[in-house]
Amino acid sequence: MEINLLSQDKLERLQNLLSNATNIVICAHKSPDGDAIGSSLAWLHYLNQIGKQNVRVCMPDATPDFLHWLPGHNSVIRYDRRSKDVRRFFREADLICCLDFNQSSRVDAMQEVLDASSAPRLLIDHHLEPEENNELTVSNPEMSSTCEIVFRLISQLGGYEKMTTQCATCIYCGMMTDTGGFTYNSSRPEIFYIIGQLLAKRVDKDEIYNRVFHNYSVNALRLRAHIILNKMKVVEELHASYFSVTKDEMAQFHFIKGDMEGLVNIPQQIKGLKLSISLREDTEKPRTVLVSLRSCNGFHCQPMATKFFNGGGHADASGGRLNCTIEEAEDVVLKALLYYKEELK
Ligand code: 5GP
Ligand code: MN
């Protein structure tokens, strides 16, 4: 099956970029998810395998606990913990690989370090509308995940035969998380061909599923139940649902990072629902509300995320943030629903 993504010209440019690089930094977006961290670590494993020894994975902040088992995760360097070291790695880098994000603002506080670097940049991503100030841009929004792109690149670079189980595991994890366990955004036959290729590398897919999706603490499950039972609002005539979660509620359920991961998808189980929105108070920054949006049944949430929530993302999975109180954020949601009421009806 044909899975190559790059033209001959782009392939040669990628090969040149890699062969000229000695000190390489890999980075991904703030609050890395399975795809961001999976693609970064898979790319690390590949670069190590072709003989690159000075490769650093630098992330803006923490990875949720349920992804710490990923092979190579213990080598990840966090900017919020080791900013001096990260600064040095960026300064010394002769290649920066940006994975799973389209705008440098997505690395949050680390943006300053990224923008200050003059090293050539390689962008590998599947979000819409990527910034184009890169030496090489590999942007394929039609792909399920950055991990899928990374697999296709490694394959096109001739690296499949030597691909390790560790590398394949990281790729499988990101493909799985960005498609909700292959329940959306994953209908192209190439995806299942790639899964077959990964299984041939002895990826334990059931184990990966369990580690990622069956990993709640009792508190996390009770927090989720509380939100669905007591906080979820449904605007039936607009096929929309939203909920908000305050810092106090999170404290009550001993919230840790990752506890609400994927919760915005749950209201989509309501028959006919088109839009689900999650509002969550930032536990660190005051007057900051983190927003997640999901859509289906013909409505696309990305324009709403851009217009009302200072964000963006994919057509049906977007995010953003608001600088206001949680009550004011709920008002913004109501305004957004009204603005799109004809499409939501
Ligand atoms: P999540 O709801 O899982 O945080 O994010 C869903 C999608 O929206 C992800 O693909 C993420 O990259 C994107 N996204 C989340 N927050 C932002 C944001 O502030 N700006 C932009 N442009 N995209 C975002
Ligand atoms: Mn992704």
Side-chain angles (χ1 to χ4, degrees), residues 102-103 106 127 292-294 310-314 317-321:
N102 53 352
Q103 300 159 349
R106 296 280 292 125
H127 293 88
S292 283
L293 303 96
R294 299 292 183 271
N310 309 308
H314 308 284
S318 303
R321 69 176 65 190

Side-chain angles (χ1 to χ4, degrees), residues 26 39-47 97 99 122 124 150 154:
I26 299 173
S39 59
S40 297
L41 292 174
W43 196 234
L44 167 74
H45 291 301
Y46 171 69
L47 293 175
C97 306
L99 274 74
L122 163 66
I124 306 177
V150 164
I154 294 174

Side-chain angles (χ1 to χ4, degrees), residues 242-263:
Y242 64 96
F243 58 78
S244 62
V245 188
T246 63
K247 272 191 268 203
D248 285 350
E249 284 167 314
M250 287 186 271
Q252 188 190 336
F253 291 95
H254 308 282
F255 174 87
I256 58 163
K257 198 164 183 168
D259 279 357
M260 280 185 49
E261 189 84 22
L263 184 57

